[in-house]
Amino acid sequence: LAGEIAAAGKRLDGIKKTDKAAFEDWAKDADRMVKDGRRLRLEGALLEEPLSWETGDDPKGLGNVAGFKKSQPFSIHLHFKAPAEPGRAVVFSRVDAQNGRRGYRLVWEDQGVILELIEKWPDRTLRRGTSRRFKEGSAADVVITYDGSGVSEGIEFYYNGKFPGSRFLRNWADTMEDDFDSQAPLQVGGKAGQGLVATSSQDVQFYKRRLNAAEVQLRCTERRLPSVSKELERSCCAIQ
């Protein structure tokens, strides 16, 4: 019996060493995945590299990128940090101010975000948003998807990979008659108008298709892989 116990102990030690080595390889790979955004580039991404900007940055025009139409599914991901003070902010926009603000934009107000698809402001739009999900100064990974149906219910929101819950959704009547496609340039960062506050965002990416739930989880998890690997490492050491 003593011999069997000793042999089992050796096998257990071998398993621990093998598992630890495998875990360390996984943790290193997780760090590389986060540092190298191209490793996690999903199909349909429209930007070569994700965008980032801080509250003090000047507005930046990016030209004719991320243009969409009412019949086209699309998705947007960003790690969004709400302004430190209450108010209203345009996170990014692609609207033609000389043509009834035709286009689209993402707005932060009432501790939530709103996607506005605009044929002519404010009479002909598709709008849907959330509220009471962002306290001032807080941050989260946000994914917004649109299914190309031409109705606001085709717009869905995810916060850190999860639906916010119906009680946090904001809905407006659908009044769009034609389309919201625009030739205006995409603009990010800074304050988009008088009386607005500035925001900061990281890892902003646009997709020319609707991401599925698994892809949303991936986009919202990749930023946390280093912290996840450290937590697993602590757990692994605790049971040795």
Side-chain angles (χ1 to χ4, degrees):
L1 180 60
E4 292 177 356
I5 292 175
K10 289 181 179 180
R11 287 197 299 271
L12 180 60
D13 288 340
I15 292 172
K16 285 182 178 180
K17 290 179 180 179
T18 302
D19 287 351
K20 184 177 181 181
F23 169 78
E24 289 174 348
D25 289 342
W26 177 89
K28 292 177 182 178
D29 191 52
D31 289 337
R32 288 195 297 268
M33 289 172 71
V34 174
K35 292 174 182 177
D36 183 3
R38 290 171 292 183
R39 287 284 304 277
L40 295 178
R41 184 180 175 89
L42 297 176
E43 180 182 353
L46 294 174
L47 304 177
E48 287 296 326
E49 295 293 337
L51 300 171
S52 296
W53 61 86
E54 300 298 330
T55 53
D57 292 350
D58 293 329
K60 182 186 299 183
L62 299 177
N64 186 27
V65 296
F68 303 116
K69 297 181 179 181
K70 183 172 70 172
S71 60
Q72 178 187 357
F74 64 85
S75 302
I76 303 166
H77 166 266
L78 66 158
H79 184 75
F80 175 72
K81 184 175 182 181
E85 69 270 28
R88 187 174 188 271
V90 176
V91 184
F92 54 76
S93 68
R94 184 173 168 156
V95 298
D96 186 348
Q98 305 303 316
N99 188 22
R101 298 184 183 176
R102 186 183 179 107
Y104 69 88
R105 62 188 176 189
L106 186 68
V107 175
W108 177 80
E109 67 177 21
D110 192 25
Q111 297 184 343
V113 294
I114 305 167
L115 181 64
E116 299 178 339
L117 311 181
I118 305 168
E119 178 186 348
K120 183 178 181 181
W121 183 263
D123 303 319
R124 297 196 290 273
T125 66
L126 298 181
R127 303 170 67 196
R128 201 178 200 197
T130 63
S131 65
R132 297 173 288 130
R133 298 301 293 160
F134 278 106
K135 292 183 178 179
E136 286 74 15
S138 66
D141 274 286
V142 179
V143 175
I144 306 163
T145 67
Y146 171 66
D147 63 3
S149 62
V151 297
S152 57
E153 289 185 354
I155 301 171
E156 292 185 342
F157 296 84
Y158 299 84
Y159 285 78
N160 292 328
K162 299 179 180 179
F163 289 108
S166 58
R167 69 184 183 279
F168 297 111
L169 288 177
R170 300 177 66 184
N171 296 284
W172 287 264
D174 295 347
T175 55
M176 183 180 293
E177 298 175 359
D178 184 18
D179 212 323
F180 67 92
D181 58 322
S182 171
Q183 298 303 312
L186 178 67
Q187 181 168 303
V188 303
K191 297 182 180 181
Q194 186 175 6
L196 301 179
V197 296
T199 66
S200 64
S201 296
Q202 289 79 42
D203 294 340
V204 182
Q205 182 62 276
F206 299 81
Y207 299 88
K208 58 181 180 181
R209 64 184 182 87
R210 189 181 193 185
L211 299 183
N212 61 41
E215 292 169 323
V216 169
Q217 285 288 340
L218 176 61
R219 289 298 297 155
C220 293
T221 301
E222 61 177 315
R223 288 178 54 87
R224 298 185 288 113
L225 281 176
S227 61
V228 170
S229 66
K230 290 178 182 178
E231 291 176 6
L232 288 174
E233 185 176 10
R234 287 194 295 268
S235 299
C236 182
C237 293
I239 63 175
Q240 288 183 357

